[in-house]
Amino acid sequence: MQSLADILGEVFRAMMANKLRTFLTMFGIAWGVGSLLVLVGLGEGFRSGQRRNLASVGNDVVMAFDSTIPALPFQHTAMRPYKLTLKDEADMRALPELRAVTATLNRSDLYEVSAWSNTSMLVFGVEPNFSQVRFVPVEQGRFLDNDDLTNRRRVAVLGSKAARMLYPGHPFLGESITINGTSFTVVGSVATIARGGQDFDDQKVYIPLSTMMELFAMKGENIPRDSLTTIQYQPTIKGDSTAAVAAVHRVLGRNHSFDPLLKEAFDEWDTIHTSKLVDKIFDAMDLFLGGVGVVTLGLGAVGIINIMLVSVTERTREIGLRKALGATSRSILVQFFLEGLILTTVSGIIGIGISAGFMAILQSLLTGKMPGFDPPQLVWWSAALAMGSLAVCGIVAGVYPASQAAALEPVEALRRE
């Protein structure tokens, strides 16, 4: 009876006797596995990049803006505008469905002057908790605090681009700038939070909301004195804004006299909903690409079965001679089974290794250089799926031809030309 080492020796001698056929078969499987991993990795790169962009806005943030109220559902004429106010914010703070609420008043028509330069950046009147609700990484100095808000202090925190524009190459902490002629002391700066080429957030100048409303409140016909630009909040239940959004709609509907079920009356951005939508899109993409990959590997298995059947046909006389000399059907079965399994397994490992190396090179070359997109990364579930599929393919590709070879009768096999 042949030992396993003898059978493996026969397997490798058979493979080496047909080097080109073995190489092409293995190349096809490795290419299919590598393509599957790279395609799934590209999808995960897009997913990761979009998540990073959303994280740079803030976690679990919903933003409510001024909007208009239609007279009837789905109507887009005779719309009545309304402005968000401090009363809206106060009522929203009392909601148990919300864990954090912050308000902003923004203006882009104000003029900032320093000792070195002048510009017209976006002035943001904010509350101290803005830096907890939104992603605002302080780089130098400090952010605004409760005393600044309560005492209506004239202090400012500069976005990274605003700091470069107003103080090019010069220190700015403790220095003064004027905003429309009113002096403010710079107490801090924010690190860059630009997303790709969108440096809107880096151009901001942050001042206390109370100071903003005192000096630069919005003016115009039918605009309340305490008007705001946005109210931004986080739901009590992390990752689920359903109850929070419904509660906010009820508050705004009551305060501004309209039916909170009128969806057209709200202008808002729910980053939680956006994140879930992005995940669903990429889950569907991964499912599609994974299905394509499995089908591709299945076709590869069919190719290996065909090659193995051809091998059985070519080696019929050899099989007959070996069986006549005492080789058992089991040893013949094991030999052809191992040959099919080795072809698929080794090809899969090579495909995984090459694709992992390729994606590692892309990671080192492209990380941080493609806005909204991270380089492809090896996804372990896709590698596990590939290896599992290859194991199944290898078994199928080995068992059927092996059973055909083992079933040959020695006399009949020896008669064949």
PDB file of all heavy atoms in Angstrom, residues 65-79:
ATOM      1  N   PHE A  65     -32.193  73.448   9.762  1.00  0.00           N
ATOM      2  CA  PHE A  65     -31.993  74.775   9.168  1.00  0.00           C
ATOM      3  C   PHE A  65     -33.335  75.499   9.041  1.00  0.00           C
ATOM      4  O   PHE A  65     -34.405  74.897   9.164  1.00  0.00           O
ATOM      5  CB  PHE A  65     -31.364  74.641   7.777  1.00  0.00           C
ATOM      6  CG  PHE A  65     -30.076  73.866   7.742  1.00  0.00           C
ATOM      7  CD1 PHE A  65     -30.071  72.495   7.535  1.00  0.00           C
ATOM      8  CD2 PHE A  65     -28.864  74.499   7.929  1.00  0.00           C
ATOM      9  CE1 PHE A  65     -28.892  71.774   7.499  1.00  0.00           C
ATOM     10  CE2 PHE A  65     -27.668  73.794   7.897  1.00  0.00           C
ATOM     11  CZ  PHE A  65     -27.684  72.415   7.687  1.00  0.00           C
ATOM     12  N   ASP A  66     -33.247  76.808   8.775  1.00  0.00           N
ATOM     13  CA  ASP A  66     -34.460  77.560   8.430  1.00  0.00           C
ATOM     14  C   ASP A  66     -35.125  76.910   7.224  1.00  0.00           C
ATOM     15  O   ASP A  66     -34.451  76.330   6.365  1.00  0.00           O
ATOM     16  CB  ASP A  66     -34.110  79.007   8.068  1.00  0.00           C
ATOM     17  CG  ASP A  66     -33.416  79.731   9.211  1.00  0.00           C
ATOM     18  OD1 ASP A  66     -33.663  79.375  10.369  1.00  0.00           O
ATOM     19  OD2 ASP A  66     -32.619  80.649   8.930  1.00  0.00           O
ATOM     20  N   SER A  67     -36.443  77.025   7.158  1.00  0.00           N
ATOM     21  CA  SER A  67     -37.131  76.412   6.032  1.00  0.00           C
ATOM     22  C   SER A  67     -38.408  77.178   5.719  1.00  0.00           C
ATOM     23  O   SER A  67     -38.611  78.294   6.209  1.00  0.00           O
ATOM     24  CB  SER A  67     -37.432  74.939   6.346  1.00  0.00           C
ATOM     25  OG  SER A  67     -37.883  74.268   5.186  1.00  0.00           O
ATOM     26  N   THR A  68     -39.245  76.563   4.897  1.00  0.00           N
ATOM     27  CA  THR A  68     -40.515  77.180   4.508  1.00  0.00           C
ATOM     28  C   THR A  68     -41.647  76.181   4.710  1.00  0.00           C
ATOM     29  O   THR A  68     -41.446  74.969   4.637  1.00  0.00           O
ATOM     30  CB  THR A  68     -40.493  77.625   3.042  1.00  0.00           C
ATOM     31  OG1 THR A  68     -40.113  76.510   2.217  1.00  0.00           O
ATOM     32  CG2 THR A  68     -39.526  78.775   2.821  1.00  0.00           C
ATOM     33  N   ILE A  69     -42.835  76.706   4.952  1.00  0.00           N
ATOM     34  CA  ILE A  69     -43.994  75.869   5.265  1.00  0.00           C
ATOM     35  C   ILE A  69     -44.973  75.913   4.097  1.00  0.00           C
ATOM     36  O   ILE A  69     -45.474  76.985   3.737  1.00  0.00           O
ATOM     37  CB  ILE A  69     -44.701  76.377   6.533  1.00  0.00           C
ATOM     38  CG1 ILE A  69     -43.696  76.511   7.683  1.00  0.00           C
ATOM     39  CG2 ILE A  69     -45.857  75.442   6.909  1.00  0.00           C
ATOM     40  CD1 ILE A  69     -44.194  77.379   8.810  1.00  0.00           C
ATOM     41  N   PRO A  70     -45.266  74.764   3.476  1.00  0.00           N
ATOM     42  CA  PRO A  70     -46.257  74.751   2.395  1.00  0.00           C
ATOM     43  C   PRO A  70     -47.672  74.814   2.952  1.00  0.00           C
ATOM     44  O   PRO A  70     -47.947  74.328   4.053  1.00  0.00           O
ATOM     45  CB  PRO A  70     -45.993  73.414   1.690  1.00  0.00           C
ATOM     46  CG  PRO A  70     -45.461  72.538   2.780  1.00  0.00           C
ATOM     47  CD  PRO A  70     -44.672  73.430   3.701  1.00  0.00           C
ATOM     48  N   ALA A  71     -48.579  75.429   2.192  1.00  0.00           N
ATOM     49  CA  ALA A  71     -49.978  75.486   2.620  1.00  0.00           C
ATOM     50  C   ALA A  71     -50.597  74.100   2.624  1.00  0.00           C
ATOM     51  O   ALA A  71     -51.442  73.780   3.466  1.00  0.00           O
ATOM     52  CB  ALA A  71     -50.766  76.422   1.698  1.00  0.00           C
ATOM     53  N   LEU A  72     -50.171  73.246   1.694  1.00  0.00           N
ATOM     54  CA  LEU A  72     -50.673  71.882   1.572  1.00  0.00           C
ATOM     55  C   LEU A  72     -49.500  70.939   1.346  1.00  0.00           C
ATOM     56  O   LEU A  72     -48.446  71.358   0.847  1.00  0.00           O
ATOM     57  CB  LEU A  72     -51.657  71.769   0.394  1.00  0.00           C
ATOM     58  CG  LEU A  72     -52.957  72.574   0.502  1.00  0.00           C
ATOM     59  CD1 LEU A  72     -53.691  72.535  -0.834  1.00  0.00           C
ATOM     60  CD2 LEU A  72     -53.838  72.037   1.626  1.00  0.00           C
ATOM     61  N   PRO A  73     -49.656  69.671   1.693  1.00  0.00           N
ATOM     62  CA  PRO A  73     -48.569  68.724   1.436  1.00  0.00           C
ATOM     63  C   PRO A  73     -48.196  68.684  -0.039  1.00  0.00           C
ATOM     64  O   PRO A  73     -49.058  68.770  -0.915  1.00  0.00           O
ATOM     65  CB  PRO A  73     -49.163  67.384   1.895  1.00  0.00           C
ATOM     66  CG  PRO A  73     -50.220  67.751   2.889  1.00  0.00           C
ATOM     67  CD  PRO A  73     -50.788  69.055   2.416  1.00  0.00           C
ATOM     68  N   PHE A  74     -46.885  68.553  -0.293  1.00  0.00           N
ATOM     69  CA  PHE A  74     -46.319  68.453  -1.636  1.00  0.00           C
ATOM     70  C   PHE A  74     -46.491  69.734  -2.461  1.00  0.00           C
ATOM     71  O   PHE A  74     -46.227  69.752  -3.653  1.00  0.00           O
ATOM     72  CB  PHE A  74     -46.921  67.267  -2.422  1.00  0.00           C
ATOM     73  CG  PHE A  74     -46.878  65.974  -1.672  1.00  0.00           C
ATOM     74  CD1 PHE A  74     -48.036  65.387  -1.197  1.00  0.00           C
ATOM     75  CD2 PHE A  74     -45.667  65.349  -1.412  1.00  0.00           C
ATOM     76  CE1 PHE A  74     -47.999  64.193  -0.492  1.00  0.00           C
ATOM     77  CE2 PHE A  74     -45.620  64.157  -0.707  1.00  0.00           C
ATOM     78  CZ  PHE A  74     -46.787  63.591  -0.241  1.00  0.00           C
ATOM     79  N   GLN A  75     -46.938  70.799  -1.816  1.00  0.00           N
ATOM     80  CA  GLN A  75     -47.106  72.065  -2.546  1.00  0.00           C
ATOM     81  C   GLN A  75     -45.803  72.851  -2.482  1.00  0.00           C
ATOM     82  O   GLN A  75     -45.161  72.928  -1.435  1.00  0.00           O
ATOM     83  CB  GLN A  75     -48.243  72.881  -1.925  1.00  0.00           C
ATOM     84  CG  GLN A  75     -48.567  74.162  -2.705  1.00  0.00           C
ATOM     85  CD  GLN A  75     -49.604  74.995  -1.983  1.00  0.00           C
ATOM     86  OE1 GLN A  75     -49.448  75.300  -0.808  1.00  0.00           O
ATOM     87  NE2 GLN A  75     -50.685  75.358  -2.667  1.00  0.00           N
ATOM     88  N   HIS A  76     -45.423  73.468  -3.597  1.00  0.00           N
ATOM     89  CA  HIS A  76     -44.175  74.229  -3.638  1.00  0.00           C
ATOM     90  C   HIS A  76     -44.406  75.683  -4.032  1.00  0.00           C
ATOM     91  O   HIS A  76     -43.497  76.375  -4.471  1.00  0.00           O
ATOM     92  CB  HIS A  76     -43.202  73.564  -4.616  1.00  0.00           C
ATOM     93  CG  HIS A  76     -42.834  72.175  -4.199  1.00  0.00           C
ATOM     94  ND1 HIS A  76     -41.965  71.908  -3.169  1.00  0.00           N
ATOM     95  CD2 HIS A  76     -43.257  70.956  -4.644  1.00  0.00           C
ATOM     96  CE1 HIS A  76     -41.836  70.602  -3.011  1.00  0.00           C
ATOM     97  NE2 HIS A  76     -42.619  70.002  -3.904  1.00  0.00           N
ATOM     98  N   THR A  77     -45.623  76.158  -3.879  1.00  0.00           N
ATOM     99  CA  THR A  77     -45.942  77.571  -4.087  1.00  0.00           C
ATOM    100  C   THR A  77     -46.605  78.083  -2.815  1.00  0.00           C
ATOM    101  O   THR A  77     -47.083  77.317  -1.979  1.00  0.00           O
ATOM    102  CB  THR A  77     -46.904  77.754  -5.282  1.00  0.00           C
ATOM    103  OG1 THR A  77     -48.103  77.002  -5.050  1.00  0.00           O
ATOM    104  CG2 THR A  77     -46.252  77.285  -6.570  1.00  0.00           C
ATOM    105  N   ALA A  78     -46.632  79.406  -2.658  1.00  0.00           N
ATOM    106  CA  ALA A  78     -47.209  80.049  -1.470  1.00  0.00           C
ATOM    107  C   ALA A  78     -46.562  79.509  -0.196  1.00  0.00           C
ATOM    108  O   ALA A  78     -47.240  79.209   0.799  1.00  0.00           O
ATOM    109  CB  ALA A  78     -48.723  79.851  -1.443  1.00  0.00           C
ATOM    110  N   MET A  79     -45.253  79.370  -0.219  1.00  0.00           N
ATOM    111  CA  MET A  79     -44.533  78.832   0.931  1.00  0.00           C
ATOM    112  C   MET A  79     -44.274  79.938   1.953  1.00  0.00           C
ATOM    113  O   MET A  79     -43.831  81.028   1.599  1.00  0.00           O
ATOM    114  CB  MET A  79     -43.202  78.222   0.488  1.00  0.00           C
ATOM    115  CG  MET A  79     -43.307  77.207  -0.643  1.00  0.00           C
ATOM    116  SD  MET A  79     -43.812  75.589  -0.104  1.00  0.00           S
ATOM    117  CE  MET A  79     -42.258  74.900   0.393  1.00  0.00           C
TER     118      MET A  79
END
